[in-house]
Amino acid sequence: MRLKIVKIRHADFRWIWYNKKKFGITAEVGFLILYTMDYLCRWLSILLLFSVSVGVYADDAEEFQAEAYRTYQSVEIDGELTESDWQKATPIRRFIQFEPDEGVPLTEATEVRILYDDRHIYFGFVCSESDRSKIIANKMRRDTMLWDNDNVFVLLDTYNDRRSGFFFRVNPLGAREDVAIMDSGDSRNENWNAVWDSKGKINNNNWTTEIAIPFSQLRFKDEAAVTWGLNLGRTIQKNQEEGTWAPVPAAYTFQARYRTTHLGTLTGISEISQRRNIEFLPYLLPGVTRTAEEGTIGVLDLGADMKVSLTSNLTADLTVNTDFAQVESDREQANLTRFSLFFPEKRQFFLEGAGLFDFGIPRTSFNAPPPLLLFYSRRIGIEEGHAIPILGGGKVTGKVGGFGVGLLNVLTDTYKAAATEDLDAVDLDRTNYSVLRIKRDLFTGSSLGVIAVNKQGLDAHNRATGVDFIYRPTDSTNFRGLWARTFEPSDIQDEQTAQENDTAPLNTNALYFGGNWQSTVARVNASYTDIGEAFNPEVGYVYRKGSRWFRSEIRGTPYLHWYGFRRMWIGPEIDIILNSDNELETRTFIWSTWLELETNGWGGLRIYRNFENLTEDFEIRDGIIIPKGKYDYNNYSLMLNAEGNVFNGRLGFNIGDFYNGTRRGFELRLDLRLTGRFSLEPRYEFNRVTLPDGWFDTNVFGGRVGYSFSTDLFTKLYVQWNSDRNLITTNFLVNYIYRPGSDFYFVFNQTYGTDNMTSGLMDTTVVGKVTYWWNP
């Protein structure tokens, strides 16, 4: 038996063997654990290949077929559908609700026609509306979330693999929103931008819109006649009603519109010009920066991005002297935990094809940080809040047969910055970042993937690798899992020391397995996460190291349609987190009750029962310490949300104990839209924490004021205040899309200090930026 253990024992599971005495594990039990884990890793792909669930998604969606009509006319995108070829295209008129009455036709007639020529595919929508005063359309800015407006959408699965796609949404004013979709809709990149056009028009008894999408913005197989997955949809906001052409399951609620497992097919497109697509986007950036330390400095920068289609399915993105001056600053957050905050990526170069590079553990809720990301692109070009110059980089993304392929390489420049009141000093050499990602499609919606990440400096490196899978035996059930490991020069020395002392080496692995099931009346999910104390992906994000996390959630989600209530969400959630010594560190029990109204609103109550075992003192603020020890405490959260044609508002309260003290707070969010042009969005969050060592307040204010002159020209002022950081930041932006894909930006930023040491104006930046999109 011992010989067998030695034979299959490897570094990934060596800690079990070394700790057999500590945990009372006999040789036989240790062998069983090792053998089982080794067996699962070796035979997972074989199990998937022979699964009996092959073809389970072959449902009625395949019966829905649409045909595009070839036009040789010049189609003007004006929202009026006046070209004669629109009437020659076969109309699509059948739309079925998934909210609120699944399977029932939409209450207003909807018609769609599809045209194409050598360079574009066109969609024309005619949406009947008996009372035009009830059309809700109050947004014009590009990429504003349009879900709370009347809108129509197109979902194209151009690979026709039922697992990825491109989502385009338009409201009656012609405002545009686009999303890149991966993993059958579970992963969405809402910051992805394509170059496309649309116009809308509100008429007496309907509203119409035209959409033009260049083939150059899509990825598809090079075939004489292509077949794509397709879905079309419409939202009628006055009734809180949403429906699609190919029916989608209501169990997925708002995510149902992104489901690529439930699509019809689009045919009729043939002999598309398959010339190699090249896009070139140079920029010119003049500006001035003034700081108290360095005075006034003039800036004149040049750079460029380029996109080249290597094949019809594979695209290369190149960047030189990359600049992100137009990117909005991160939203300020108050941190009352022992762990680091998470900020989303907003830079366009890293967002292109980002879904393919996803490798991590799903978030536990929409606002929660992910427990783990093996590749987190914000680690490139941002260090301790400082922007690090990116000399250049390249990326290849797409598909090769049944494989999704992603390759990224970026070089950052040397950088030095002195410490400030809020930021640490930074002294960096040139650093190269590389990522290789491969995913193999298996069946409908399942996949098996690998990833490798490398950060290479002049005299140090950090590497990570991993394997992950998604398995969907049915549309309502899926399982996910991953294993990952990091490598650093110090790991070899640590392992040798452990062998000499007959102790377990530091654990540099991460393991996750989880599954969920959902229907229209209930949903259940459970997961197990194990992240080693020495697991250190320097180009990734880890919320909590040295932990074993058991999580489970049960929700009843019945439709009520009773006394003005549409739907209820009710049930428990439990999280149990052990440290690396298997000692209980955190236990959280949450009971949630949420009610959704028939008329644009919802409210909910959450009850928390918390246990925390602090193994060392926790300095939550300067001079205020929570002593190590065990803490049991309760707290409560109430949230109310109202939605209307002009006014949206959210008010939340939290009250209860906090470790050995108390916490009281509230959050207020407003969204005022008097017309489609003007918007006012203030947000304020306040917390007062009282502890035996003292008390403190956290204040976070964010206010955004916007005015849209058209769908291609808007201005925005964004002001934030965070009392923790003692900073007020302002960002004023003018964005003019003077031709599709080409932008002019004017940016004016200022930072003010609010404490005694750094009160007053700290820095000012004024830049202009011009980009020009060239697509021969």
Side-chain angles (χ1 to χ4, degrees):
M1 185 66 71
R2 287 186 179 274
L3 291 176
K4 186 73 171 183
I5 293 174
V6 172
K7 181 178 178 180
I8 69 167
R9 187 178 67 184
H10 47 81
D12 300 336
F13 309 120
R14 190 176 291 159
W15 64 272
I16 296 179
W17 176 254
Y18 283 116
N19 285 285
K20 61 183 182 293
K21 293 180 180 179
K22 182 175 182 179
F23 298 117
I25 299 175
T26 65
E28 289 76 13
V29 174
F31 163 72
L32 180 61
I33 294 173
L34 290 169
Y35 184 80
T36 301
M37 297 178 76
D38 190 67
Y39 180 87
L40 289 174
C41 291
R42 291 174 184 271
W43 294 101
L44 174 62
S45 59
I46 297 177
L47 175 64
L48 293 175
L49 286 172
F50 288 95
S51 171
V52 296
S53 63
V54 178
V56 74
Y57 289 116
D59 55 20
D60 294 339
E62 292 296 334
E63 299 178 4
F64 291 81
Q65 293 191 7
E67 185 175 359
Y69 180 82
R70 176 124 196 178
T71 180
Y72 295 94
Q73 293 182 322
S74 175
V75 179
E76 182 181 0
I77 305 304
D78 54 11
E80 296 190 1
L81 283 75
T82 53
E83 291 80 7
S84 60
D85 278 351
W86 282 118
Q87 303 309 311
K88 298 177 183 178
T90 304
I92 298 170
R93 298 191 177 99
R94 181 185 177 188
F95 284 80
I96 304 299
Q97 293 183 41
F98 65 86
E99 282 283 350
D101 300 313
E102 184 178 13
V104 176
L106 283 178
T107 55
E108 297 285 355
T110 307
E111 181 178 290
V112 186
R113 298 171 189 257
I114 306 172
L115 301 177
Y116 77 99
D117 57 24
D118 285 340
R119 305 192 69 167
H120 297 82
I121 184 168
Y122 305 94
F123 294 87
F125 286 80
V126 179
C127 302
S128 296
E129 177 51 70
S130 54
D131 185 354
R132 63 177 291 173
S133 66
K134 294 184 177 180
I135 296 175
I136 299 177
N138 52 31
K139 296 180 179 180
M140 296 179 70
R141 179 183 166 186
R142 172 75 188 266
D143 281 335
T144 301
M145 292 185 180
L146 300 175
W147 58 270
D148 57 353
N149 277 211
D150 279 79
N151 67 79
V152 294
F153 73 77
V154 175
L155 174 55
L156 289 173
D157 172 17
T158 54
Y159 290 133
N160 200 29
D161 59 6
R162 296 302 192 265
R163 64 188 72 236
S164 62
F166 303 99
F167 180 90
F168 303 89
R169 180 155 51 183
V170 181
N171 75 355
L173 301 177
R176 303 187 294 278
E177 179 187 359
D178 41 20
V179 181
I181 294 173
M182 296 286 291
D183 294 337
S184 305
D186 290 344
S187 175
R188 300 183 302 278
N189 180 357
E190 295 174 342
N191 292 302
W192 172 77
N193 282 325
V195 179
W196 57 293
D197 200 11
S198 69
K199 286 292 187 295
K201 185 177 182 182
I202 299 176
N203 307 301
N204 289 330
N205 58 1
N206 64 33
W207 63 274
T208 57
T209 189
E210 286 180 298
I211 298 171
I213 304 170
F215 289 122
S216 64
Q217 300 301 295
L218 307 174
R219 309 290 173 260
F220 51 90
K221 296 178 182 178
D222 187 0
E223 298 175 333
V226 298
T227 300
W228 293 348
L230 172 70
N231 213 345
L232 306 161
R234 179 185 177 186
T235 298
I236 304 173
Q237 193 63 24
K238 67 179 182 182
N239 300 332
Q240 290 286 282
E241 186 177 321
E242 189 161 5
T244 55
W245 166 58
V248 295
Y252 284 92
T253 62
F254 76 93
Q255 295 182 0
R257 67 177 73 99
Y258 305 113
R259 300 303 296 174
T260 56
T261 52
H262 294 76
L263 299 177
T265 54
L266 174 62
T267 62
I269 301 176
S270 61
E271 299 179 357
I272 303 173
S273 175
Q274 287 293 332
R275 60 189 175 82
R276 175 167 294 182
N277 181 57
I278 299 177
E279 299 177 30
F280 186 57
L281 189 71
Y283 78 83
L284 172 66
L285 185 146
V288 176
T289 298
R290 179 180 177 81
T291 63
E293 296 82 10
E294 299 181 356
T296 302
I297 301 174
V299 177
L300 180 61
D301 242 347
L302 292 169
D305 293 335
M306 178 180 288
K307 187 186 298 289
V308 180
S309 58
L310 305 178
T311 70
S312 60
N313 278 355
L314 208 59
T315 302
D317 292 274
L318 306 174
T319 184
V320 177
N321 195 27
T322 316
D323 176 82
F324 306 105
Q326 77 279 10
V327 175
E328 184 176 86
S329 57
D330 293 319
R331 200 190 84 176
E332 294 287 347
Q333 302 178 50
N335 191 1
L336 297 176
T337 74
R338 294 170 283 151
F339 311 103
S340 60
L341 296 173
F342 178 82
F343 296 94
E345 179 62 86
K346 298 181 180 181
R347 299 169 296 173
Q348 189 60 35
F349 173 77
F350 294 105
L351 291 172
E352 186 72 28
L356 183 60
F357 292 95
D358 281 349
F359 184 103
I361 299 174
R363 299 171 184 239
T364 57
S365 66
F366 180 75
N367 292 320
L372 182 152
L373 288 177
L374 202 64
F375 173 60
Y376 178 39
S377 58
R378 281 182 62 100
R379 300 295 188 208
I380 304 175
I382 300 177
E383 188 76 28
E384 298 291 346
H386 298 278
I388 311 302
I390 295 178
L391 296 176
K395 179 166 53 176
V396 175
T397 55
K399 300 203 74 170
V400 178
F403 291 88
V405 178
L407 175 63
L408 179 143
N409 188 275
V410 174
L411 179 65
T412 58
D413 202 357
T414 56
Y415 185 81
K416 291 185 179 182
T420 66
E421 182 73 17
D422 300 286
L423 301 174
D424 295 334
V426 176
D427 187 356
L428 299 173
D429 295 322
R430 285 191 178 182
T431 306
N432 181 264
Y433 300 83
S434 301
V435 185
L436 173 64
R437 177 70 158 138
I438 300 174
K439 291 183 72 173
R440 178 67 170 104
D441 298 342
L442 298 172
F443 320 133
T444 300
S446 300
S447 64
L448 185 66
V450 296
I451 191 171
V453 184
N454 182 53
K455 176 184 178 182
Q456 187 70 53
L458 292 178
D459 53 6
H461 70 262
N462 178 273
R463 292 165 185 156
T465 188
V467 180
D468 66 342
F469 73 88
I470 301 173
Y471 177 47
R472 303 180 189 274
T474 70
D475 184 49
S476 59
T477 308
N478 74 76
F479 300 95
R480 293 173 178 265
L482 65 82
W483 167 84
R485 185 173 184 178
T486 60
F487 304 86
E488 295 179 285
S490 59
D491 293 343
I492 298 176
Q493 183 177 354
D494 291 340
E495 189 168 328
Q496 290 174 347
T497 303
Q499 289 178 345
E500 293 171 359
N501 298 330
D502 194 25
T503 59
L506 295 177
N507 186 358
T508 59
N509 299 287
L511 182 70
Y512 166 81
F513 181 78
N516 73 277
W517 169 87
Q518 62 189 72
S519 72
T520 55
V521 296
R523 59 187 59 191
V524 179
N525 66 64
S527 64
Y528 169 71
T529 301
D530 188 338
I531 300 177
E533 67 278 4
F535 182 76
N536 182 36
E538 290 187 3
V539 197
Y541 174 86
V542 181
Y543 181 67
R544 194 164 179 166
K545 297 181 182 180
S547 62
R548 298 187 177 97
W549 188 348
F550 300 85
R551 183 178 186 277
S552 181
E553 178 182 348
I554 301 174
R555 288 281 187 273
T557 59
Y559 281 91
L560 301 176
H561 299 300
W562 176 71
Y563 286 99
F565 295 109
R566 170 176 292 188
R567 197 174 192 182
M568 174 184 286
W569 306 74
I570 186 169
E573 171 188 337
I574 187 165
D575 296 87
I576 298 174
I577 303 177
L578 311 178
N579 62 22
S580 55
D581 293 325
N582 281 336
E583 298 170 340
L584 180 62
E585 196 169 85
T586 300
R587 182 183 62 239
T588 306
F589 177 84
I590 305 172
W591 180 269
S592 300
T593 304
W594 298 85
L595 287 168
E596 181 182 348
L597 305 179
E598 297 279 12
T599 55
N600 301 345
W602 52 264
L605 173 67
R606 306 192 85 183
I607 302 172
Y608 297 80
R609 175 64 177 166
N610 307 284
F611 170 82
E612 289 285 349
N613 179 17
L614 298 182
T615 58
E616 58 184 28
D617 292 349
F618 170 29
E619 187 174 13
I620 190 168
R621 291 297 184 275
D622 289 343
I624 302 179
I625 295 174
I626 302 174
K628 67 179 181 179
K630 297 181 180 181
Y631 300 89
D632 277 293
Y633 58 97
N634 303 326
N635 53 292
Y636 312 89
S637 172
L638 175 66
M639 188 73 70
L640 303 172
N641 190 82
E643 299 172 1
N645 297 1
V646 175
F647 169 83
N648 291 342
R650 180 181 301 180
L651 179 62
F653 299 93
N654 65 77
I655 186 172
D657 300 325
F658 185 76
Y659 292 95
N660 56 344
T662 61
R663 174 187 171 189
R664 305 286 187 273
F666 68 89
E667 179 183 7
L668 177 64
R669 297 186 186 186
L670 301 177
D671 187 352
L672 179 65
R673 297 183 180 274
L674 299 177
T675 68
R677 300 184 185 277
F678 175 79
S679 65
L680 175 63
E681 303 170 29
R683 176 181 66 90
Y684 179 58
E685 180 183 346
F686 170 81
N687 285 284
R688 169 160 292 181
V689 176
T690 304
L691 298 165
D693 269 7
W695 63 272
F696 64 91
D697 294 338
T698 68
N699 298 271
V700 176
F701 172 79
R704 185 183 286 110
V705 182
Y707 189 85
S708 298
F709 296 91
S710 70
T711 55
D712 295 323
L713 174 60
F714 74 89
T715 63
K716 177 199 64 178
L717 174 64
Y718 188 29
V719 180
Q720 296 191 94
W721 169 50
N722 188 335
S723 62
D724 274 353
R725 298 179 61 204
N726 293 309
L727 288 178
I728 295 175
T729 59
T730 64
N731 167 241
F732 177 71
L733 173 71
V734 178
N735 182 200
Y736 174 44
I737 306 172
Y738 60 91
R739 61 189 297 269
S742 303
D743 294 80
F744 166 77
Y745 302 96
F746 173 78
V747 182
F748 178 66
N749 295 331
Q750 287 190 317
T751 303
Y752 298 86
T754 60
D755 64 357
N756 295 330
M757 299 294 293
T758 58
S759 61
L761 181 63
M762 296 173 61
D763 62 66
T764 301
T765 302
V766 181
V767 298
K769 182 177 179 180
V770 181
T771 68
Y772 182 84
W773 183 68
W774 181 63
N775 180 222

